[in-house]
C-alpha cells in the first residue's frame, strides 16, 4: 500500500559523488533541499580506498579535503565518505555496518541509491522504501551486475532520462523520469547587464572520455577571435590546442557562477561515447540560468531550442555553423534564463517527494 509523508522523514542517499570536491550532483541538491524542509538526511558516497590513493586516482590534497567521519553541513545534511582498503564492490565494506560505526541508526523511511557500487546485502534491510535513481547507462561490467540486483530489490525507479530508464529493460515496479534541475538563484547574474558579453565560450565539468577534445580544437582553430575557457581536472589534453584555449583546471563550486557570467556561450562538447546518450547534464540549465546560450552535441536527451538559446550539432547540423548561431544569439540570454527558472531543484524535490512517498512500502 502507499503511505503519507512521515512528520520528519529519515532519508539516506547512497551516491556516486561526495560534496567536498569541485562538482555538485543531483543527490547533493536533493539532500540539501530535503534537509531544509526538515528531513533528517544522511548522504553516503562512494568510499575512497587505499587503492585509489596509492594509484593517484585520488590525490593527497583531494583526500585531505574530505572529512574523516560524519560531517553535518550548514543545511543539516550529514555527509559520510567511507575509507576502505579495497575499492567497491570488493572487500568487506557494508553500508549498514558503516552507519553503525559512526553511531547512525540504520533505519530510514526511504533510501535513494544512484551508485550501483554501493549495493550490498544490507541495503534492502535499511528501509521499507528503496528507490533506485539511475543517472547513467551501465551496459556491462560490475556496475551493470550490481544494477540488476538493485532493480530486482527496488520498490521504485526514478531515472534522470528516458534513455537511462529504457536501458534498465522491463520493470515490474513504478518507474518514471525526473531530469536534473538547477539552483537558479545561485547562477543568476546578481545585477542587470548592459550590452552583450564578450566572445567567450566556457565549459565546466569532467574532462574524461565523454568530452570531445577534437571538436573543441576544431572550434578554436576556426574562431581565433573567440576565447575558450575550459574548467575541470585534466593532466594533459590528448590533442594540440590553439592559443585561444585556456585550461583553467578545477574550479571550486562557489566560483563557477562568476566564471559563467563572463562568457557568452556554454559548451557541452559531448563525445561519441555511447554513455552520453542518457546524460541529463545539470550544466545545461546552469548555463541558461547564468545567461549563456548553450551549444551541445544533439542527444536523445538534449534537443535544440534556439528560441531559448539552446543550439545543437550533429544529426545533419554542422558544429561550426551551430557555434556561429550560438555566438550571435542575444546576450545575455534572457529567454534561456526564463526557461531554466522552471527547472529549479525545489520543483524537482516536490516531484521527488510525491514519487517516493507514493511508492508501495514493504
Amino acid at each position: 500500500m502507499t503511505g503519507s509523508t512521515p512528520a520528519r522523514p529519515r532519508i539516506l542517499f547512497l551516491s556516486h559523488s561526495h560534496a567536498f570536491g569541485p562538482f555538485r550532483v543531483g543527490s547533493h541538491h536533493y539532500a540539501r533541499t530535503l534537509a531544509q524542509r526538515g528531513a533528517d538526511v544522511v548522504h553516503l558516497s562512494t568510499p575512497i580506498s587505499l587503492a585509489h590513493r596509492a594509484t593517484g586516482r585520488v590525490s593527497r590534497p583531494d583526500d585531505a579535503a574530505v572529512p574523516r567521519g560524519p560531517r553535518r553541513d550548514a543545511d543539516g545534511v550529514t555527509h559520510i565518505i567511507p575509507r576502505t582498503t579495497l575499492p567497491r564492490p570488493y572487500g568487506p565494506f557494508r553500508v549498514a555496518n558503516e552507519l553503525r560505526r559512526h553511531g547512525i541508526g540504520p533505519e530510514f523511511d526511504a533510501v535513494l541509491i544512484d551508485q550501483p557500487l554501493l549495493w550490498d546485502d544490507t541495503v534492502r534491510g535499511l528501509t521499507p522504501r528503496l528507490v533506485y535513481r539511475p543517472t547513467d547507462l551501465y551496459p556491462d561490467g560490475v556496475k551493470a551486475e550490481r544494477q540488476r540486483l538493485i532493480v530486482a530489490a527496488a520498490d521504485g525507479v526514478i531515472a534522470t532520462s528516458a534513455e537511462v530508464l529504457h536501458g534498465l529493460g522491463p520493470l515490474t515496479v513504478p518507474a518514471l523520469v525526473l531530469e536534473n534541475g538547477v539552483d537558479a538563484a545561485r547562477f543568476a547574474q546578481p545585477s542587470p547587464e548592459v550590452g552583450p558579453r564578450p566572445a567567450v565560450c566556457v565549459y565546466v565539468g569532467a574532462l574524461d572520455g565523454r568530452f570531445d577534445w577534437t571538436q573543441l580544437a576544431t572550434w578554436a582553430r576556426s574562431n581565433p577571435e573567440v576565447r575558450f575557457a575550459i574548467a575541470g581536472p585534466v593532466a594533459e589534453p590528448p590533442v594540440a590546442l590553439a592559443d585561444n584555449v585556456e585550461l583553467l583546471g578545477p574550479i571550486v563550486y562557489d566560483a563557477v557562477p562568476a566564471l559563467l557570467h563572463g562568457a557568452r556561450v556554454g559548451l557541452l562538447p559531448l563525445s561519441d561515447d555511447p554513455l552520453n546518450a542518457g546524460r541529463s547534464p545539470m550544466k545545461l540549465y546552469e548555463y541558461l540560468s547564468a545567461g549563456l546560450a548553450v551549444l551541445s552535441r544533439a542527444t536523445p536527451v538534449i534537443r535544440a531550442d534556439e528560441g531559448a538559446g539552446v543550439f545543437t550539432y550533429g544529426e545533419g547540423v554542422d558544429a561550426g555553423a551551430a557555434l556561429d548561431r550560438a555566438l550571435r544569439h542575444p546576450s545575455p540570454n534572457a529567454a534561456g534564463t526564463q526557461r531554466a527558472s522552471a527547472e529549479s531543484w525545489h520543483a524537482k524535490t516536490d516531484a521527488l517527494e510525491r514519487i517516493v512517498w507514493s511508492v508501495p512500502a514493504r
Side-chain angles (χ1 to χ4, degrees), residues 283-300:
K283 283 293 171 284
L284 171 64
Y285 292 122
E286 291 175 355
Y287 289 160
L288 291 176
S289 290
L292 282 72
V294 178
L295 176 61
S296 174
R297 187 190 196 107
T299 74

Side-chain angles (χ1 to χ4, degrees), residues 214-234:
T214 301
Q215 182 59 70
L216 171 65
T218 301
W219 279 328
R221 285 195 306 270
S222 302
N223 298 272
E225 76 288 356
V226 177
R227 185 167 73 90
F228 294 81
I230 310 301
V234 61

